[in-house]
Amino acid sequence: MPSAKTQSSFRDRIMPVETTRYTRVITWLNVITNIGIVGTGGLVRLTGSGLGCSEWPYCTPESIFPTPELGIHGMIEFGNRTLTFVLVVVALLAFLAVVRTPKQLALRRIPLWIGVLIIVQAVVGGITVWLELDPRIVGVHFLISALLAALAGLQLARVQRVHELPANLAITRDRGVWFVALLVTVLCWFTELVGVLTTGSGPHAGDELAARNGLDPVIMHHVHAWPGYALLISIVVLRILVARAKLDASQKLTDTLAVFVMMQIGFGIYQARTGLPIHSVAVHMVLAVTVLAMLSVLLVNLRRELSQPNEVTE
């Protein structure tokens, strides 16, 4: 039987009273898993495996596991469902890793919401099966994943910078920079929303018999591109303003965000001109939620730097 000292040591590692290396590792894992499941979810859709398991939470009316008759589609769909349990475990560990930290650090609420949303996401996933992959519900399913990635990125930034965050996070300088950052945020989420509508009009329904939303996919590709270009322009403007304000950490993060958005645009153009190949669409989906996680990290760092007084120069 473990001694009280051993039990206490184990508890302190899993539930530390301050942010530790373990806290940072689990928080990173929370980001990776919430982004990764978008890739496996994309695999379900792109291989036409959305109804590989015809029921939920069971795979078939008689079995919770896929039967040999379901073939590869059943395995792919069931595999994606199984990963939800991994997300739940990681989210629980991420919450336990901060639950004993001082209340003023404000690290507990975000992982709690992540855990709740993962459960909501599982239910929405079941509804998509019940409604035979209705594109509107599938779109909501993706947007919840996007929100989870953004929240995981937000928690990561707070854990990494927790000891550098000032007591008062009010913007005290260069308010124009923060305004442009908020504009970037709005454009980023709007681009994601239009992307969901574009996907709902295209061929990757997740099953041959699944309905589409009735929008013209050619027109939607153009409509999706316009806010994407506006997003890139706004990031370039933000980069210029951040450089002028000498916000060193935010400069690097803005550069990284710009690179990922350009990659996203590049894959979007490529797939639109090559008939939406599966590999390109999968990368496009993963990049989409990665950009949102990175944007969260940028916003936390930018707010921290903008809450600091200007350096006095001679």
Side-chain angles (χ1 to χ4, degrees):
M1 183 175 180
S3 65
K5 183 177 180 180
T6 301
Q7 292 177 344
S8 177
S9 176
F10 177 77
R11 185 192 65 174
D12 289 341
R13 287 197 299 270
I14 302 301
M15 302 169 61
V17 295
E18 60 181 2
T19 54
T20 63
R21 181 181 179 184
Y22 170 79
T23 310
R24 292 187 290 273
V25 169
I26 291 298
T27 305
W28 262 110
L29 190 59
N30 207 18
V31 175
I32 293 169
T33 53
N34 277 289
I35 290 176
I37 200 168
V38 172
T40 62
L43 181 64
V44 171
R45 173 184 289 185
L46 297 170
T47 58
S49 304
L51 295 178
C53 288
S54 60
E55 304 294 328
W56 188 90
Y58 280 70
C59 188
T60 71
E62 298 80 21
S63 174
I64 193 171
F65 300 105
T67 59
E69 292 77 15
L70 296 177
I72 187 64
H73 293 307
M75 295 298 297
I76 292 174
E77 165 64 7
F78 185 76
N80 187 59
R81 292 185 185 188
T82 304
L83 283 178
T84 300
F85 295 101
V86 176
L87 261 67
V88 170
V89 171
V90 174
L92 176 60
L93 291 175
F95 175 71
L96 292 177
V98 296
V99 71
R100 295 176 64 203
T101 57
K103 186 176 180 180
Q104 62 267 28
L105 297 182
L107 295 177
R108 306 173 191 173
R109 187 175 302 176
I110 296 174
L112 180 61
W113 273 111
I114 289 174
V116 171
L117 283 173
I118 288 172
I119 296 172
V120 171
Q121 178 74 312
V123 175
V124 172
I127 294 173
T128 63
V129 174
W130 292 342
L131 297 181
E132 298 182 342
L133 307 183
D134 185 302
R136 293 166 296 184
I137 305 302
V138 173
V140 171
H141 194 51
F142 176 81
L143 289 174
I144 294 175
S145 290
L147 179 58
L148 282 166
L151 288 174
L154 184 63
Q155 179 71 355
L156 175 64
R158 292 195 60 80
V159 166
Q160 289 181 323
R161 298 290 187 181
V162 65
H163 297 299
E164 301 175 24
L165 290 172
N168 180 10
L169 281 177
I171 304 299
T172 58
R173 52 178 291 207
D174 301 299
R175 297 180 187 273
V177 177
W178 186 245
F179 175 81
V180 175
L182 294 180
L183 177 62
V184 168
T185 304
V186 170
L187 286 171
C188 192
W189 278 100
F190 182 71
T191 304
E192 298 282 346
L193 178 59
V194 178
V196 167
L197 295 175
T198 303
T199 301
S201 70
H204 297 301
D207 186 82
E208 291 181 359
L209 300 179
R212 300 285 73 200
N213 60 25
L215 299 173
D216 188 319
V218 176
I219 293 176
M220 289 307 301
H221 282 140
H222 291 290
V223 174
H224 182 35
W226 299 333
Y229 296 141
L231 171 62
L232 181 58
I233 293 171
S234 66
I235 293 175
V236 172
V237 173
L238 178 63
R239 176 62 175 82
I240 294 171
L241 295 178
V242 164
R244 288 180 178 177
K246 297 181 179 180
L247 307 176
D248 295 335
S250 297
Q251 286 186 55
K252 297 176 182 177
L253 290 169
T254 306
D255 288 341
T256 305
L257 181 63
V259 169
F260 271 77
V261 170
M262 285 189 288
M263 290 171 58
Q264 179 75 320
I265 290 174
F267 273 100
I269 294 173
Y270 169 76
Q271 68 187 30
R273 294 183 177 180
T274 56
L276 302 176
I278 289 177
H279 68 279
S280 179
V281 177
V283 173
H284 196 62
M285 292 176 64
V286 173
L287 281 175
V289 294
T290 302
V291 164
L292 289 171
M294 293 177 58
L295 177 60
S296 293
V297 175
L298 171 61
L299 290 174
V300 170
N301 281 269
L302 190 58
R303 189 174 182 86
R304 178 183 64 84
E305 290 189 301
L306 290 175
S307 67
Q308 303 290 339
N310 284 308
E311 295 182 1
V312 178
T313 57
E314 294 297 334

